[in-house]
Amino acid sequence: MVPQDVDGAALSGLRTGFAGDVVVPGDPAYDEARTVFNAMIDRRPAVIAQCATVRDVARAIRFGRDLGLEIAVRGGGHSVAGMALTDGGVVVDLRRMNAVTVDPGARTARVGGGATMSHLDRAAEPYGLATTGGRVSTTGVGGFVLGGGAGWLDRTFGLACDNLLSVELVTADGDTVRASGEENRELFWALHGGGGNFGVATSFTLRLHPLPVVTAGLLLWRPEAGGDVARAYRDVLESAPDELGGGLLYLTAPPEDFVPEDMAGRLACAVLLTYAGPAREAREAAAPLLRLGHDAEMITEASYADLQSMFDDPPGYRNYWSAEYLAGFPDEAVDAFCARAADMIVPSPSQHVLFPQGGAVARGPADHPVPWRRAPWVVHPFGLWSDPADDERARRWAHDVRTAVKPWSTGAVYLNFIGREGAERVVAGLGEENYRRLAAVKARYDPDNVFHLNHNIKPG
Ligand code: FAD
């Protein structure tokens, strides 16, 4: 959409009684307010409505609709395609709505629609409680949960959407709706993977679990050992307790004390160990990996909130990521996966990742619109680099990784792990039958497709 001037009277009307702030081009706060995680995204909204209340959200939506402006919804700003921003339209920015209230007796958390994982984890930590979050602390709870939500704890506690108890939503008409297992059940079902298609979620209630301690570990090998490490990792995870998670990855070895000097800054193969319990149990569960003769080791107990911020990716980099969900990871797939690691940009914060699923992820409800939950393995090329001259190279690497492992793909894909890859991938991400059912929910709550800056479900 082309940037356009917004009617001054309409803008004053929006500002009157608005509890948050309304930011427009030229304001000192404008550039910060339009910055998202992916530095490749440079969009200039006409209005950024930094909402502080549910009423602000409803007013911002009505304002956008009355003026015929495109509407984007911003939680944590982590969408790789920059779906939280629009050129010339209105951004419903939820970042101020980040309060988290924990009920330790009921083991639930009520989470504002603009909270990040860090807000949630830090609020639950004093009670020794946690729930499945993303793998970094800066991701928005909103986009994460509505897409399904996979993270370090998912094999133990299920996907984030499996822990969703209710959602409060402002619809395209500016009405407020509550969805749960008892109210608006079809909408509630749709919010288990259907993303931001149905309205703006102003709060979520999530189930929490007791988790006094977790273990985090990083084992590093020189890249030549990758094949053996990957096979061993696969074999361990195939019969591991649900508490063991983490991932196998190639990365740029960090310049840390526990890393040999000649490895730092170069490509390394790594096992990232996470365990929902003490280090002694983690070491037992990962014993075959620890016997492989690694070059560097860090294993430590931590609180879950600390684990979640331990691997925070730096903002300000250019991003491109994609994913394939695999039905198996036989030796041929291992070879195909490992061979593509050499094409990753090094040094950089990029990661060539294999995540395990299984455990509580696989056992979750079969009818939720997250068909990718059944795949035991996820291949996730996660590109972060700084030089625009590397854009094409980074994209090619991610595409080549997908092509290399495609023979083992289930075809389903988690939409939060991809950018704009076309309408067919959206259907693949939700499942064909689910897509039709979701389209009917969309027709009921957003018949004009006001919320289309997302992995879009067309009203049907
Ligand atoms: P935004 O860019 O703000 O929003 C993305 C989409 O969600 C938009 O379409 C927006 O309309 C919608 N949305 C956001 N909040 C709301 C709301 N309250 N109501 C309605 N719609 C809303 N995902 C995982 O599952 N596991 C991971 O481990 C993981 N790690 C990541 C690590 C990094 C460094 C990054 C950048 C992303 C990671 N992701 C992960 C992907 C992440 O889940 C998605 O990018 C997700 O969309 C981010 O949500 P957000 O609110 O931060 O995004």
Side-chain angles (χ1 to χ4, degrees):
M1 187 184 267
V2 187
Q4 46 186 277
D5 291 329
V6 171
D7 177 74
L11 202 55
S12 318
L14 177 65
R15 284 196 164 116
T16 307
F18 198 81
D21 277 316
V22 176
V23 178
V24 296
D27 286 351
Y30 182 71
D31 280 331
E32 185 284 327
R34 69 182 187 91
T35 301
V36 291
F37 186 80
N38 182 358
M40 292 173 92
I41 308 295
D42 180 19
R43 298 207 180 111
R44 303 186 65 82
V47 175
I48 301 174
Q50 297 183 325
C51 302
T53 62
V54 174
R55 186 166 170 267
D56 282 356
V57 172
R59 290 189 59 204
I61 294 170
R62 284 203 199 102
F63 169 84
R65 293 201 69 179
D66 288 348
L67 296 192
L69 298 174
E70 185 170 59
I71 295 176
V73 180
R74 177 182 182 138
H78 267 200
S79 147
V80 65
M83 290 170 182
L85 293 180
T86 154
D87 263 331
V90 180
V91 175
V92 179
D93 183 340
L94 300 167
R95 282 178 292 173
R96 294 196 186 178
M97 299 176 69
N98 58 24
V100 179
T101 313
V102 174
D103 181 339
R107 291 186 181 157
T108 59
R110 189 165 188 271
V111 185
T116 61
M117 291 301 151
S118 169
H119 293 121
L120 168 58
D121 300 337
R122 294 290 170 199
E125 183 182 24
Y127 305 101
L129 297 170
T131 196
T132 301
R135 295 175 178 91
V136 302
S137 70
T138 49
T139 298
V141 173
F144 171 80
V145 170
L146 293 171
W152 303 129
L153 300 179
D154 57 17
R155 283 173 43 87
T156 317
F157 300 136
L159 297 173
C161 68
D162 297 337
N163 292 287
L164 184 60
L165 298 174
S166 68
V167 183
E168 274 155 36
L169 205 75
V170 179
T171 66
D173 288 337
D175 297 333
T176 49
V177 175
R178 189 167 184 280
S180 69
E182 288 81 43
E183 288 166 87
N184 298 303
R185 290 172 59 177
E186 191 65 2
L187 174 62
F188 190 53
W189 168 84
L191 297 172
H192 287 70
N197 273 286
F198 311 99
V200 179
T202 51
S203 83
F204 300 88
T205 303
L206 296 169
R207 185 184 299 114
L208 302 176
H209 307 266
L211 188 65
V213 68
V214 295
T215 301
L218 190 66
L219 310 176
L220 294 182
W221 290 262
R222 287 174 171 76
E224 309 79 77
D228 290 338
V229 177
R231 279 182 281 276
Y233 184 75
R234 171 198 64 197
D235 295 347
V236 167
L237 262 290
E238 275 176 354
S239 57
D242 291 353
E243 287 81 0
L244 186 67
L248 170 89
L249 58 161
Y250 286 84
L251 43 58
T252 301
E256 300 285 350
D257 288 347
F258 69 92
V259 178
E261 235 174 81
D262 68 310
M263 286 183 75
R266 294 170 187 268
L267 184 70
C269 175
V271 166
L272 206 157
L273 288 175
T274 59
Y275 191 87
R280 178 183 43 79
E281 289 177 21
R283 284 183 177 279
E284 242 169 66
L289 291 164
L290 291 166
R291 284 198 295 269
L292 274 183
H294 41 282
D295 296 298
E297 172 184 320
M298 181 281 292
I299 296 183
T300 182
E301 287 184 356
S303 72
Y304 172 65
D306 285 345
L307 160 66
Q308 257 229 349
S309 51
M310 218 173 256
F311 305 105
D312 276 357
D313 297 292
Y317 281 86
R318 305 172 80 76
N319 278 220
Y320 187 84
W321 352 305
S322 193
E324 284 294 337
Y325 279 66
L326 307 190
F329 196 50
D331 289 352
E332 298 81 357
V334 170
D335 293 343
F337 172 77
C338 293
R340 298 260 73 89
D343 301 334
M344 190 177 80
I345 294 172
V346 175
S348 81
S350 298
Q351 296 165 7
H352 183 79
V353 188
L354 175 85
F355 285 132
Q357 293 204 116
V361 177
R363 292 193 300 270
D367 80 322
H368 283 163
V370 286
W372 42 272
R373 75 152 79 239
R374 299 277 166 241
W377 300 105
V378 185
V379 167
H380 184 32
F382 187 78
L384 268 71
W385 68 101
S386 48
D387 186 348
D390 283 332
D391 289 0
E392 194 37 48
R393 183 178 156 201
R395 278 203 200 95
R396 200 177 335 113
W397 160 67
H399 287 150
D400 288 352
V401 174
R402 278 192 59 203
T403 308
V405 298
K406 218 170 216 152
W408 300 277
S409 172
T410 64
V413 64
Y414 175 31
L415 297 176
N416 272 352
F417 274 4
I418 68 172
R420 289 188 192 286
E421 295 188 5
E424 275 176 27
R425 282 279 266 179
V426 176
V427 176
L430 301 164
E432 262 180 58
E433 242 178 72
N434 290 328
Y435 186 91
R436 279 192 288 275
R437 191 171 158 192
L438 290 162
V441 182
K442 176 82 173 174
R444 165 139 189 232
Y445 291 94
D446 183 16
D448 299 323
N449 207 2
V450 170
F451 302 114
H452 60 267
L453 291 173
N454 43 40
H455 291 291
N456 196 229
I457 297 164
K458 305 263 181 297

